[in-house]
Amino acid sequence: MLESYLKERLQSRKILLMTHIVLGYPSFDESYEVVKAMVESGVDLMELQIPFSEPMADGPVILRANQEALARGAKVSQCLEFADRVCSEFSIPFLFMTYYNILFKYGVASFAQAMTHSGIGGAIVPDLPPEEGKDYLEAMEHNRLSPIFIFSPSTSLERMRFLASLTKGFVYCVARTGVTGAQTSFSQDLQSYLTRCRAATSLPLALGFGVKDRADIDFLTGKVDIAVIGTQTIRLIQEKGVGAVGNFIAGLR
Amino acid sequence: MHDRGYYEEFGGAFIPEVLHATFDELEEAFRDARHDPRFWQDYETLMSTYSCRPTPLTYAENLTEHFGGARIYVKREDLNHTGAHKANNVMGQGLLVKRMGKKRVIAETGAGQHGVATATMAAKFGFDCTIYMGEVDVERQRPNVFWMERLGAQVIPVREGTRILKDAINEAFRDWVTHMETTHYVLGTACGPHPFPEMVSYFQSIVGQEAREQILEREGRLPARVYACVGGGSNALGIFHGFMNDGVELVGVEAGGKGIQSGLHASRLSSPDASVGVAQGYKTYFLQDGDGQMRETHSVAAGLDYVGVSPILAALKHRGRVRFEAATDEEVVQALALTVRKEGLIPALESAHAFVQAFKEAPLLSSRDIVLINQSGRGDKDIFTIADAFGDPKWQKFIMDKGEKYRA
Ligand SMILES: Cc1ncc(COP(=O)(O)O)c(C=O)c1O
């Protein structure tokens, strides 16, 4: 199970790294190269984003990656095939990240089945609060998949407890309000929020939104269990190409 | 949130966690306002002193004679301040923003009407204002951009996606998740996450309340049919509200664009091309592909050029309470020309969709029947688009001369 994998891994590493890529961007072949480079340079788990035409919670960099992947014809079926391949070739856990319409149109139950079939461990669906997610939660439970919910700085302690009670594996804490890709200042202000997150759950905590370099990860070490690198690697691929990914990841820890 | 705002299977609130507390606050503020009898009174006073409420009901005598069937009446939402029904929703939300103590408003706009209305409200109430508008719409509705800027709003052209209304909505949400502490998002139509569909149609219900009283006063009986154009659905829900419990046939008219067969349209409820999905925070019929990716839409009327539709209308369609039809761009331009010539009324391109369907059906009804058309907005704001549609050579020459002068 995802939680036990993470806890075991945390015995030997002070902080784990989760990376985020958009499938089919710049192409499926390059997505594969990126996964390979990331796994080889020590990433502990990965979020694979299935592109969606209306990625409401994403900032300009990931938004454009979604649009380009779709413009080049990325299909949900190709994303599932891609998942089959990477899950069988690499031993780290992979999660899907996407918006609810992708699951809804596919059929939530069939989608969960397809995830299990591929070996995907769980999903992050940012526009699906648990109150709207009855079918999703049932399908995830039925297929023993981890639904991962999100805490934000505006989430009350009471609601954090409620969200954590439905989450499996780990909780994704967004470092600040806003969308992906903007600056986050990693300062002591984060501490009181993270203390609240910690008080709400014994699940591992991941922190994302704005994590970009080794200094950020050093700051987060000891405060959270997983650092999430999202926009920064996509930006890197845009600027320096797929080949730059391995060194970047290796230099983070 | 107390209630997730479902209408049959449609609606809901599919919002990112970061907005959860903001929506709780909004829902509560709206509930309190609704239960405060002073609130609606304040709203009516504002609309009768700052806008032109009650808007008149005009008997279209010449069109009635021309079609030789039902008596045609027109509800004049074009006579609102800023020129469309959009002002009703905007001023209502403005009063709510004051109650919530927020200082900044943001909005999306397609035709620019909602943007102008929001910028106007912000100027009057002293709020900061940012308007998101698709680049394509900035281009086709330039005069409205000019006015929004003069009114003190910052207009941000949206270059993402299809660069029209839905993309402007996404950008407004992105702003909101960053600034929700100080900012209220004035959504312009009866779409989006709960409580927006309910709230927007609540403010727009003033149209139907007035129209029902007015027609009873004038004719002593109810219309046989009521026609309204449908973008997101707010003007339609507004006028339909007055007749929901009567034996009146309600007809919503969507953008047929270049024809349903062409695929270039925005007909979600009147074509087989849409299917149920979840996007922009709510569940409804969307024009989308098999993977759930939103498709491009087309309409000559920017305000109807939208992939989704009010969940309340989707439910009314399921229940068979509202009939939906589509009008093509070409039909719209013809109906507009006829209305201008016969009545001296200039409906917006959006509103002209409702006229098209009423004109098709009026001749088939008896002279004892009444049909009521909601003229949701005025068309003089569409001067560039309408002049193009009419291919007016004198206008073209004027623009070219003007361009020469600017270049000099
Ligand atoms: C004049 C006018 N009518 C209708 C609409 C469509 O919106 P709704 O369906 O919400 O009334 C618009 C939208 O911009 C508009 O400007």
Side-chain angles (χ1 to χ4, degrees):
Chain A
M1 297 276 41
L2 187 55
E3 187 182 345
S4 50
Y5 164 88
L6 296 172
K7 288 195 163 156
E8 197 182 303
R9 197 100 166 170
L10 281 162
Q11 304 281 318
S12 57
R13 296 184 166 184
K14 284 198 228 113
I15 191 161
L16 306 185
L17 284 184
M18 176 163 89
T19 49
H20 177 139
I21 63 165
V22 176
L23 297 182
Y25 176 79
S27 67
F28 279 96
D29 286 346
E30 283 160 295
S31 292
Y32 177 82
E33 292 306 317
V34 174
V35 170
K36 188 161 183 288
M38 285 179 169
V39 174
E40 282 169 1
S41 44
V43 158
D44 302 285
L45 70 166
M46 282 189 72
E47 275 179 83
L48 309 177
Q49 180 167 5
I50 302 177
F52 180 49
S53 58
E54 317 302 315
M56 195 206 255
D58 283 302
V61 174
I62 295 185
L63 167 63
R64 254 162 242 151
N66 273 262
Q67 286 176 358
E68 279 197 34
L70 292 174
R72 292 175 193 189
K75 292 277 177 282
V76 172
S77 58
Q78 289 173 290
C79 296
L80 290 168
E81 284 158 20
F82 185 90
D84 287 345
R85 178 170 181 204
V86 296
C87 291
S88 64
E89 288 183 26
F90 304 107
S91 63
I92 64 164
F94 291 95
L95 310 170
F96 271 148
M97 181 271 175
T98 193
Y99 290 82
Y100 184 54
N101 203 41
I102 299 293
L103 283 72
F104 181 79
K105 272 299 267 186
Y106 194 91
V108 174
S110 320
F111 191 86
Q113 248 171 18
M115 283 170 63
T116 305
H117 180 81
S118 295
I120 291 282
I124 302 170
V125 187
D127 63 343
L128 188 69
E131 289 87 346
E132 302 287 357
K134 195 169 155 286
D135 297 348
Y136 167 74
L137 284 167
E138 276 171 20
M140 295 295 276
E141 169 86 42
H142 185 74
N143 288 280
R144 300 183 180 198
L145 295 164
S146 299
I148 289 146
F149 287 101
I150 294 171
F151 289 175
S152 89
S154 60
T155 311
S156 68
L157 181 62
E158 187 193 354
R159 186 165 171 81
M160 283 182 177
R161 292 205 168 106
F162 165 66
L163 294 169
S165 73
L166 300 167
T167 298
K168 297 216 166 61
F170 65 92
V171 174
Y172 191 125
C173 309
V174 300
R176 50 165 171 74
T177 61
V179 292
T180 54
Q183 278 276 336
T184 299
S185 81
F186 290 93
S187 61
Q188 292 309 318
D189 294 353
L190 257 181
Q191 191 59 53
S192 69
Y193 164 54
L194 291 175
T195 307
R196 207 149 37 90
C197 298
R198 191 54 94 192
T201 181
S202 60
L203 287 167
L205 297 179
L207 187 115
F209 278 35
V211 180
K212 62 182 180 317
D213 55 22
R214 180 162 189 149
D216 294 345
I217 289 170
D218 285 346
F219 177 86
L220 292 172
T221 304
K223 297 186 175 69
V224 297
D225 305 297
I226 305 167
V228 186
I229 313 259
T231 301
Q232 193 57 24
T233 41
I234 296 174
R235 219 177 253 142
L236 186 75
I237 293 167
Q238 286 172 350
E239 284 164 13
K240 301 198 175 139
V242 174
V245 170
N247 274 342
F248 170 71
I249 299 290
L252 287 174
R253 245 185 334 203
Chain B
M1 239 179 267
H2 281 234
D3 142 28
R4 309 255 350 149
Y6 271 93
Y7 306 88
E8 318 241 308
E9 69 187 273
F10 307 106
F14 295 80
I15 49 173
E17 183 55 35
V18 61
L19 283 176
H20 183 86
T22 307
F23 271 83
D24 275 353
E25 179 194 9
L26 177 61
E27 200 201 14
E28 195 183 316
F30 175 54
R31 201 159 15 102
D32 285 354
R34 226 181 149 150
H35 289 146
D36 176 357
R38 286 258 320 270
F39 184 75
W40 187 266
Q41 271 172 24
D42 289 349
Y43 172 60
E44 282 191 332
T45 305
L46 177 65
M47 294 313 287
S48 64
T49 53
Y50 189 63
S51 189
C52 288
R53 302 225 74 90
T55 58
L57 186 70
T58 301
Y59 174 49
E61 191 174 1
N62 302 328
L63 285 171
T64 300
E65 212 168 277
H66 177 80
F67 288 109
R71 293 167 70 75
I72 300 173
Y73 275 88
V74 180
K75 178 65 173 163
R76 302 291 307 282
E77 288 306 297
D78 58 309
L79 294 179
N80 270 298
H81 180 40
T82 70
H85 71 294
K86 297 283 172 189
N88 304 328
N89 167 44
V90 164
M91 298 315 288
Q93 288 198 46
L95 290 175
L96 205 61
V97 175
K98 286 221 286 196
R99 277 172 89 104
M100 291 190 291
K102 293 193 171 179
K103 295 278 179 270
R104 176 173 177 260
V105 290
I106 57 174
E108 85 293 347
T109 195
Q113 286 302 106
H114 177 60
V116 169
T118 303
T120 302
M121 179 272 279
K124 177 171 169 59
F125 289 159
F127 302 142
D128 289 336
C129 181
T130 303
I131 304 292
Y132 292 91
M133 187 168 186
E135 202 174 41
V136 172
D137 293 333
V138 167
E139 168 102 359
R140 57 181 163 175
Q141 298 288 348
R142 186 74 225 179
N144 280 336
V145 177
F146 172 84
W147 281 119
M148 284 183 259
E149 289 178 346
R150 297 284 81 70
L151 287 159
Q154 186 189 9
V155 180
I156 302 189
V158 176
R159 302 198 168 86
E160 315 300 340
T162 47
R163 298 175 293 129
I164 58 174
L165 185 54
K166 81 169 169 61
D167 312 286
I169 293 178
N170 288 337
E171 278 311 302
F173 270 109
R174 292 187 183 107
D175 180 318
W176 206 20
V177 298
T178 315
H179 304 111
M180 69 274 190
E181 292 285 332
T182 56
T183 300
H184 174 68
Y185 176 15
V186 185
L187 220 153
T189 188
C191 290
H194 175 69
F196 281 110
E198 180 185 341
M199 184 165 75
V200 175
S201 41
Y202 167 75
F203 290 125
Q204 294 294 0
S205 69
I206 198 166
V207 179
Q209 275 178 26
E210 285 174 11
R212 190 175 193 280
E213 274 174 34
Q214 288 167 322
I215 196 77
L216 285 176
E217 198 174 293
R218 296 276 282 284
E219 291 273 357
R221 62 211 159 91
L222 292 169
R225 296 179 190 170
V226 176
Y227 298 87
C229 67
V230 180
S234 70
N235 87 88
L237 283 163
I239 196 154
F240 292 168
H241 176 87
F243 305 94
M244 205 55 84
N245 301 318
D246 299 317
V248 172
E249 191 176 12
L250 307 174
V251 186
V253 188
E254 298 184 295
K258 299 196 195 300
I260 301 295
Q261 265 73 38
S262 72
L264 299 169
H265 61 79
S267 300
R268 298 108 337 154
L269 296 173
S270 58
S271 83
D273 296 353
S275 60
V276 180
V278 176
Q280 306 207 303
Y282 69 111
K283 185 189 283 188
T284 193
Y285 280 91
F286 286 100
L287 288 163
Q288 56 182 331
D289 71 14
D291 270 2
Q293 312 295 357
M294 297 302 138
R295 293 189 0 196
E296 274 200 48
T297 52
H298 168 82
S299 171
V300 67
L304 305 188
D305 203 351
Y306 180 52
V307 281
V309 66
S310 177
I312 308 179
L313 286 176
L316 288 167
K317 179 185 160 88
H318 261 212
R319 268 184 241 148
R321 182 64 192 93
V322 178
R323 167 160 64 92
F324 290 89
E325 304 285 351
T328 63
D329 291 352
E330 211 178 297
E331 292 171 325
V332 162
V333 172
Q334 281 169 16
L336 178 62
L338 186 71
T339 306
V340 174
R341 291 284 289 137
K342 289 278 175 201
E343 295 291 346
L345 298 180
I346 312 177
L349 283 161
E350 287 80 11
S351 319
H353 286 69
F355 286 71
V356 168
Q357 194 61 30
F359 292 173
K360 285 182 190 166
E361 298 180 14
L364 310 173
L365 294 171
S366 102
S367 59
R368 285 183 313 279
D369 287 325
I370 299 164
V371 297
L372 172 57
I373 306 171
N374 197 24
Q375 181 167 337
S376 56
R378 64 176 200 226
D380 48 353
K381 56 114 182 157
D382 296 326
I383 187 158
F384 287 87
T385 320
I386 295 178
D388 281 353
F390 287 177
D392 184 325
K394 289 184 203 155
W395 174 261
Q396 288 167 6
K397 180 166 184 322
F398 161 70
I399 295 292
M400 285 188 283
D401 292 349
K402 194 96 186 145
E404 284 306 316
K405 269 183 221 148
Y406 283 131
R407 206 190 318 255

